Amino acid sequence: MVISNMMDYLMKIITAGLLLCLIFAGGAVAQFNFYDNSRSIEQPRLLLDYAGFKSPDSGKVRFEIYYQVFNFTFEFKKQGIDYVAEYELMVTVNDDNGKLAASEIKDKRIIVPDEEKTRSRTDYRTSQINFDLNPGKYVVKFSIRDKFSENTYTTDFSIKLKDFGGGEPSLSDIEFVRTVEALKEEAGVFDKGNILVVPSVARSYGGDDNTRLFYYFEIYRGNDSTAKVDIETKIRKKSGTMVYRDTLNDILNGPMELQLREISVEDFSPG
């Protein structure tokens, strides 16, 4: 598969300290879906997910919001030979006292070549927004406004960003991954070290062309220069039945380890 070939290549360019291990730990990962309630079969208009990592800005957390928006969400207008949709993306982050901690407003455009694509319920765009915040509790408001139809889709959710600055080894949240690419010359929101990681906002895996679950996380050594850690991976069904488990003992040789891992889901039942 193309993804497998890319993974083989990327494993060679990731930092030499990369641990050969698997991990699936609890973290501040959550998913939010905006549905088209006008249809009997629910179809997501927009998917949201997020994760937290240690920020290069000392003592702070890099809070990453991942979003996936579908074409049929928007009204398109013909412009020349193309069809264009325009929307405004608005994100605010308030701290536990209600004070504004961060915000972002962006204008976005979607361009498709034909009218059929404007109605597509499978075509989508994926992107992310990053904030550097202090550890703590926050309330996030995420909304998109269609500039042509004036329809607005909004959700609020609460988060708790962990403090990764302690003396003991610590683990970031988990980012579920759709594709991985070599780093481009221009910096982008998907950059992780020397690779480009595109999130799998839907967390959907399986099928003939997607039989491996990819995910990314980071391990921080803390102040212990000889930190030995036990890394355990567990995957359970919603009912609690364990379907995968792996354990590895290792010593962290650097201040931060970048982890890009994969698990075969070919033999897993749907769910």
Side-chain angles (χ1 to χ4, degrees), residues 34-265:
F34 295 79
Y35 287 106
D36 177 10
N37 294 321
S38 65
R39 294 175 176 263
S40 58
I41 299 177
E42 290 185 334
Q43 165 69 44
R45 290 181 177 274
L46 173 71
L47 301 178
L48 284 179
D49 204 354
Y50 66 86
F53 302 89
K54 187 174 183 178
S55 171
D57 192 348
S58 179
K60 294 194 174 184
V61 179
R62 187 177 76 250
F63 173 48
E64 301 182 351
I65 303 176
Y66 317 120
Y67 65 93
Q68 178 176 307
V69 62
F70 291 80
N71 286 7
F72 80 94
T73 302
F74 304 106
E75 179 180 321
F76 284 76
K77 291 187 176 181
K78 191 170 184 180
Q79 295 184 6
I81 62 173
D82 296 318
Y83 291 82
V84 178
E86 296 182 355
Y87 67 96
E88 183 179 60
L89 175 70
M90 296 164 285
V91 184
T92 59
V93 183
N94 290 335
D95 65 19
D96 208 25
N97 296 317
K99 183 179 179 181
L100 182 66
S103 64
E104 186 81 47
I105 299 178
K106 291 185 176 182
D107 292 323
K108 296 283 190 176
R109 301 181 84 213
I110 300 175
I111 302 174
V112 296
D114 55 63
E115 187 175 4
E116 183 179 357
K117 288 286 186 181
T118 69
R119 300 188 297 269
S120 174
R121 306 182 80 82
T122 56
D123 288 357
Y124 58 84
R125 306 294 186 277
T126 300
S127 190
Q128 75 182 59
I129 297 176
N130 302 331
F131 296 108
D132 287 328
L133 300 170
N134 291 319
K137 296 179 180 180
Y138 297 90
V139 175
V140 182
K141 182 177 181 179
F142 187 101
S143 64
I144 57 172
R145 180 179 64 86
D146 186 339
K147 291 189 176 182
F148 294 152
S149 71
E150 293 297 331
N151 289 331
T152 301
Y153 307 93
T154 302
T155 190
D156 298 338
F157 57 95
S158 298
I159 61 168
K160 183 177 181 180
L161 299 180
K162 297 182 293 185
D163 187 353
F164 300 119
E168 297 294 323
S170 58
L171 182 72
S172 76
D173 295 332
I174 297 169
E175 176 183 356
F176 292 82
V177 177
R178 180 168 63 88
T179 59
V180 181
E181 302 174 12
L183 201 65
K184 298 179 180 179
E185 292 185 3
E186 295 183 2
V189 293
F190 296 137
D191 294 356
K192 292 287 197 307
N194 54 357
I195 57 175
L196 187 151
V197 179
V198 180
S200 173
V201 188
R203 302 188 190 176
S204 179
Y205 299 91
D208 294 337
D209 59 348
N210 195 8
T211 59
R212 306 199 69 79
L213 186 157
F214 296 99
Y215 56 100
Y216 171 88
F217 62 95
E218 298 172 358
I219 301 175
Y220 314 114
R221 187 179 64 190
N223 297 328
D224 192 340
S225 60
T226 59
K228 183 177 180 180
V229 295
D230 297 331
I231 303 171
E232 186 176 66
T233 303
K234 291 181 181 179
I235 299 180
R236 298 180 183 272
K237 293 183 179 181
K238 190 174 182 179
S239 62
T241 303
M242 188 179 301
V243 296
Y244 182 92
R245 182 174 183 176
D246 183 87
T247 303
L248 178 72
N249 310 115
D250 213 306
I251 296 176
L252 304 180
N253 296 313
M256 180 175 72
E257 303 282 354
L258 309 181
Q259 300 288 303
L260 180 61
R261 300 287 89 208
E262 61 177 286
I263 297 174
S264 174
V265 296

